[in-house]
Amino acid sequence: MFETLKSRLIEAVSLAGLAIAALIVPAGAQAPSGDPVKIGFGMALTGPLAPNGKMSLVAMKIWEEDINAKGGLLGRPVKLIYYDDQSNPSTVPNIYTKLLDVDKVDFAVSPYASTQIAPAMPIMMQKQRLYISLFGTGINDEFNYDKYFSMLPTGPTPKPTFTKGAAPRRPRYAA
């Protein structure tokens, strides 16, 4: 069961990386230069959620290294900026405020778990920033935020369920 959870988590984080890459067009295979594209997040590196948070961080760092080895995003290197939320929802609003106001991240992604994702939502809404979440359930039910995207592959076949929901619709042509 742990291996299945671990492989699903790595797959979901990889898909999050693909979604991010789709938002920021990757450059050619030349060495990245210039100011980095800063991606910020809080992650449970201590406390009860730490095992999942640490796995998520490893996957995100692998993605960062891969993208930078391929020339970065928009020809710029990627830099992850993250803070330990200590598995404590009350630390999340300050982390996301700092990421946006002090660290000036280009965009922020969520921590792991619904209890950590929801407290950042008001900050992201107030700043009118895109918010991509990892494994959050029902987060946007109350907020109805139009710049929220949930990375939650569910159903009996998670990968097809996720990709069908994320695939762009076929364009319609006027006759």
Side-chain angles (χ1 to χ4, degrees):
M1 180 176 151
F2 178 72
E3 286 302 315
T4 302
L5 177 63
K6 183 178 175 183
S7 65
R8 281 189 179 175
L9 180 61
I10 290 172
E11 183 177 279
V13 172
S14 297
L15 288 171
L18 289 174
I20 291 167
L23 295 172
I24 302 175
V25 180
Q30 59 191 15
S33 63
D35 292 334
V37 175
K38 297 185 284 186
I39 302 170
F41 55 93
M43 191 60 67
L45 303 177
T46 58
L49 296 173
N52 293 331
K54 287 177 182 179
M55 284 192 304
S56 296
L57 181 59
V58 167
M60 292 168 118
K61 285 183 171 187
I62 290 169
W63 176 83
E64 175 188 35
E65 289 174 15
D66 284 349
I67 290 298
N68 285 333
K70 293 175 182 173
L73 297 175
L74 299 173
R76 296 165 47 194
V78 171
K79 180 179 181 184
L80 299 179
I81 299 174
Y82 55 91
Y83 299 100
D84 180 10
D85 67 27
Q86 305 163 18
S87 301
N88 182 346
S90 70
T91 65
V92 173
N94 287 337
I95 288 172
Y96 280 78
T97 299
K98 181 178 181 186
L99 287 166
L100 297 172
D101 293 345
V102 177
D103 297 318
K104 306 283 187 200
V105 297
D106 294 296
F107 65 95
V109 296
S110 81
Y112 170 82
S114 298
T115 57
Q116 306 306 96
I117 297 168
M121 190 71 128
I123 304 302
M124 300 304 287
M125 291 171 64
Q126 178 187 19
K127 305 287 184 178
Q128 296 187 7
R129 300 293 292 271
L130 171 70
Y131 190 37
I132 300 172
S133 76
L134 175 63
F135 288 124
T137 55
I139 303 300
N140 207 25
D141 290 352
E142 298 287 323
F143 294 107
N144 295 313
Y145 185 47
D146 64 344
K147 294 179 180 141
Y148 175 79
F149 180 76
S150 178
M151 301 288 293
L152 182 63
T154 59
T157 53
K159 187 174 180 181
T161 300
F162 172 76
T163 55
K164 285 179 185 173
R169 293 187 180 159
R170 194 173 264 169
R172 295 183 185 181
Y173 299 98

